Amino acid sequence: MTSSASRCDQSPAWSALQNHYQLTGKTFDLREAFAADAGRFAEWSFQAPEIFADLSKNRIDAATLELLLQLAADCGLEAQRDAMFKGEPINLTEGRAVLHTALRAPAGQGALFSDEVQASLASMLAFADSVPAQGFTDVVHIGIGGSDLGPAMVVIALQAYARPGLKLHFVSNVDGHDIAPVLQQLNPATTLFVIASKTFTTQETLANALAAKSWFLANGGTDIAKHFVATSSNTQAAGAFGITTTFGFWDWVGGRYSLWSVIGLPIAIAVGSENFRALLAGAHAMDRHFAEAPLAQNLPVLLALVDVWYRNFHGFTSRSVAPYHQGLRRLPAYLQQLEMESNGKGVDREGQALPYGTSPVVWGEAGTNGQHAYFQMLHQGTDVIPVEFIAVKTPTHGAHVKGELAERLADQHQKLLANCLAQSQALMQGKTFDEALAEKAPTASKSLDAATIARHRSFPGNRPSTTLVLETLNPGSLGALIALYEHRVFTTGALWGINSFDQWGVELGKALCNSLLPRLASGDSHGLDGSTAGLLKHLRA
C-alpha cells in the first residue's frame, strides 16, 4: 500500500499550491492578516493532549490550508498513517514494521505485541526501581545516536522528578575527553554502567564500554555482572563482555524512536517506574490524537503541512526551535536526529531522485540564551527562518524552593514568559524605518546621521513563528511533546514520498572510518585522495 501512495508533486494540489503561492502566498503579510481578522488567533489555535498550539503567526490562511489538506488526501496520508499503526512494513528498504507506538500502548487494549511489550517493560522497570537498593549512587549510560539523545534529553527535562541519591551521567562520543572526566568523579563500588547498543557492535559505544571496564577493574572493581548491564538484542556479545543482565528489544524499534523501549532504562532509573509510565501515557494520548483526530484539527498533521508549505513553496531551508524552559535545552539536539536523520533523504521510496527539498536544517537553543546568540539573524538577517517557541505555563522549581527564593524564581518565570511572547511578537511586527527614526538611540554613533541609524535599527517583520504551550513540564506533557514531533516527521515524510525510517546516509562514513583506522597506525596512504592523504600525513607527523 505504502509504496503506491502518491508523491506530493504528483498531486493536482501541488500545482494548485504553486499557483496559490505566486498569487497570494509570496506576498502574505501577517500584520495585514491580523488587522483584517480579529478572530485570527482563535481560528488558528489548536488543543491536543497536553499541548496548546498557536499557529496564527504563520503565513497561512484558510485557502492555503484547504489546498494543503487536499495534498494530504491525494498522498493517502491517512492510509499511510493507518499502515504504520497496523504494523505493515512501511520501512521498505529494510522490510520492517515501525511500531514505536506499540511501546506506549496500555495493556489490555489489543495493541500489537502487547504481551511481549508489557513483559519487557515490567522487567525493565523492576530493575530500574531496584537500583538504589543495590547501593548504586551513580549510573553511567553509554550509547550514541538514538541510544543517547532521547534518554539524555528526557532525564534532563525531568530533573524535577529525579529520585534522590542517584546521579546520571551520559557518555556518547568516542572522544576520550567525553568519558575521562566522568570516570574521574566515580567510585567503582557504587557505580552502575548501562551499555546501550542494539547490536552490541557500535564502534563508539563498545570503545567507551571497554574503557569503562578497564577503569573499573583497575580501580578495584570485581563484579562485572553486577556493575554492568546492557540494553541490546545481542545477548551473546553482551555475555562475552561479562554482562549477564541484558534487556532486549525488537527490530521494529528504530534507534531514534527507541526511548520508549528498554533504551529508556536510564530514564526509568532516574525518575522511577511511575513517572516512566506517565511518560508513555502522554505519548499514547498523542498517538490516539494523531490516529483519530480529523486532519484539519490534527496537530501533528497541521504542523507538518506548514512545514511543507514553507520548505517547498516559500523555499525556507531551516527551522529554529527555541524552548523557553531550561529543562528542554537538549530538545533541539534530539530533534535534529529525529527530523534530519528521518527525512534528510534525496530519493523517494522507489529510489527515484527527488526534484524538491526534504528535511530543513533544525537547530536552536533554550530561551533566553538564544536571544543573546543568534536571534539577531532571525530578526534582521537575509534569510527567513521560521521559529518554534515552546513555553511552559507553570514552573517546577522543586520543593526546596521556598520563601523569598520562591518569590524571586516565580518573578523570573514571568520574565521568561514575557521574553518568549516578545520575541514572537517582534518577529511578526518588525520595526519600520519611520518608527526607528522617531526613537532615540543613545548608544548610536554621533558621527552618523539619524536616517542611517534608523536603517540599521529597522526590522522587516512578517517573520513566521509557532508557539507551543505546556501547562507544566512533567512526564505526561513531555511524552506528548515528543510524540507530537515524531508524528509530524512521519507526516512530512509521507507527503514527500520518502522512507523516514532508514538511515543509509550514515553507513559510508562508518565504512571509510574502518578502512582509515589501520592507516593511521601504518601511514599507508595508497589509493587515498590527495586531501585525505595529506591530512593523514599531517596527523601522523
Side-chain angles (χ1 to χ4, degrees):
M1 185 245 47
T2 305
S3 61
S4 64
S6 296
R7 206 174 72 181
C8 56
D9 63 331
Q10 298 165 357
S11 158
W14 185 263
S15 57
L17 280 161
Q18 289 176 321
N19 292 332
H20 176 69
Y21 171 74
Q22 292 297 329
L23 289 171
T24 63
K26 185 161 59 173
T27 57
F28 186 92
D29 192 288
L30 287 164
R31 293 155 295 197
E32 295 175 2
F34 275 96
D37 182 5
R40 182 172 172 83
F41 174 77
E43 180 182 358
W44 292 98
S45 296
F46 301 88
Q47 183 68 55
E50 303 279 359
I51 298 168
F52 174 83
D54 171 23
L55 275 60
S56 65
K57 291 193 187 80
N58 283 288
R59 297 183 188 179
I60 190 169
D61 57 16
T64 311
L65 180 59
E66 183 179 355
L67 288 171
L68 288 167
L69 289 169
Q70 185 58 53
L71 182 72
D74 291 348
C75 293
L77 174 61
E78 290 175 303
Q80 293 192 62
R81 173 198 64 194
D82 295 346
M84 178 181 71
F85 279 100
K86 290 176 182 176
E88 295 182 21
I90 65 170
N91 179 351
L92 297 173
T93 60
E94 297 177 308
R96 294 174 180 172
V98 176
L99 281 171
H100 46 279
T101 54
L103 297 169
R104 53 237 194 178
Q109 294 193 3
L112 294 172
F113 302 103
S114 181
D115 290 345
E116 298 97 318
V117 167
Q118 293 304 317
S120 173
L121 177 63
S123 175
M124 186 264 284
L125 293 181
F127 177 83
D129 284 345
S130 75
V131 166
Q134 296 184 55
F136 295 119
T137 60
D138 292 85
V139 178
V140 181
H141 181 263
I142 298 176
I144 198 167
S147 297
D148 168 76
L149 289 164
M153 181 270 291
V154 172
V155 168
I156 291 170
L158 297 182
Q159 183 60 42
Y161 297 85
R163 294 194 288 176
L166 280 175
K167 187 173 182 181
L168 272 288
H169 312 265
F170 289 87
V171 172
S172 58
N173 201 334
V174 73
D175 183 355
H177 295 96
D178 194 3
I179 194 170
V182 173
L183 296 175
Q184 190 177 24
Q185 307 171 46
L186 305 176
N187 176 357
T190 58
T191 299
L192 173 69
F193 292 93
V194 178
I195 314 302
S197 172
K198 191 172 187 177
T199 61
F200 216 82
T201 59
T202 308
Q203 181 199 68
E204 299 94 333
T205 300
L206 281 187
N208 278 319
L210 289 168
K213 182 178 180 181
S214 175
W215 169 87
F216 179 78
L217 295 173
N219 285 273
T222 58
D223 192 346
I224 294 291
K226 177 182 178 182
H227 290 265
F228 286 77
V229 301
T231 51
S232 174
S233 299
N234 192 344
T235 55
Q236 184 175 358
F241 184 91
I243 293 173
T244 59
T245 302
T246 301
F247 301 93
F249 51 108
W250 307 271
D251 66 0
W252 43 260
V253 180
R256 53 192 174 275
Y257 300 87
S258 65
L259 69 87
W260 321 101
S261 71
V262 297
I263 290 294
L265 176 59
I267 303 172
I269 292 173
V271 301
S273 59
E274 183 178 348
N275 285 318
F276 190 85
R277 289 187 182 277
L279 181 78
L280 298 179
H284 177 69
M286 188 60 71
D287 292 342
R288 299 324 309 156
H289 171 79
F290 179 56
E292 298 166 2
L295 298 190
Q297 286 86 45
N298 194 308
L299 188 54
V301 172
L302 291 168
L303 292 172
L305 293 177
V306 173
D307 290 343
V308 169
W309 176 235
Y310 285 158
R311 184 71 180 94
N312 300 121
F313 300 94
H314 284 270
F316 302 154
T317 60
S318 172
R319 187 175 76 250
S320 181
V321 179
Y324 275 67
H325 192 298
Q326 187 67 6
L328 294 174
R329 62 189 179 274
R330 291 294 294 165
L331 180 65
Y334 168 77
L335 294 177
Q336 285 178 336
Q337 187 201 24
L338 177 64
E339 186 153 352
M340 293 195 287
E341 191 170 84
S342 294
N343 287 346
K345 309 292 170 60
V347 298
D348 66 16
R349 297 187 191 100
E350 283 69 47
Q352 300 301 309
L354 293 171
Y356 48 81
T358 53
S359 174
V361 176
V362 179
W363 57 283
E365 178 64 66
T368 57
N369 291 353
Q371 294 175 202
H372 298 269
Y374 61 84
F375 272 51
Q376 164 64 41
M377 184 182 74
L378 298 180
H379 287 289
Q380 291 186 309
T382 55
D383 291 306
V384 175
I385 300 172
V387 183
E388 205 149 277
F389 295 95
I390 304 173
V392 179
K393 182 178 177 181
T394 305
T396 49
H397 293 136
H400 65 287
V401 176
K402 301 174 182 178
E404 182 181 348
L405 177 59
E407 293 177 6
R408 288 187 178 277
L409 295 188
D411 177 67
Q412 288 182 215
H413 191 69
Q414 294 303 300
K415 289 181 170 67
L416 179 73
L417 294 177
N419 271 281
C420 181
L421 295 177
Q423 292 300 320
S424 66
Q425 183 184 24
L427 285 166
M428 179 186 72
Q429 288 185 349
K431 184 191 292 184
T432 67
F433 171 81
D434 289 338
E435 289 170 336
L437 189 63
E439 293 178 343
K440 292 183 178 180
T443 61
S445 171
K446 300 296 189 289
S447 66
L448 296 177
D449 62 89
T452 299
I453 293 297
R455 285 191 289 272
H456 280 279
R457 300 183 72 248
S458 299
F459 294 68
N462 197 34
R463 302 211 160 178
S465 68
T466 296
T467 300
L468 305 178
V469 181
L470 282 59
E471 284 294 314
T472 190
L473 182 59
N474 59 29
S477 65
L478 181 61
L481 181 67
I482 298 169
L484 170 72
Y485 279 107
E486 289 179 343
H487 297 318
R488 172 188 189 167
V489 167
F490 169 87
T491 301
T492 50
L495 298 182
W496 285 326
I498 61 179
N499 181 4
S500 298
F501 302 101
D502 61 12
Q503 52 281 328
W504 300 108
V506 305
E507 299 298 325
L508 178 59
K510 289 181 181 179
L512 292 176
C513 173
N514 290 334
S515 68
L516 284 168
L517 192 58
R519 291 176 183 263
L520 277 168
S522 68
D524 175 22
S525 61
H526 179 73
L528 295 178
D529 63 271
S531 172
T532 304
L535 288 168
L536 182 73
K537 182 179 179 180
H538 183 80
L539 288 169
R540 282 178 45 82

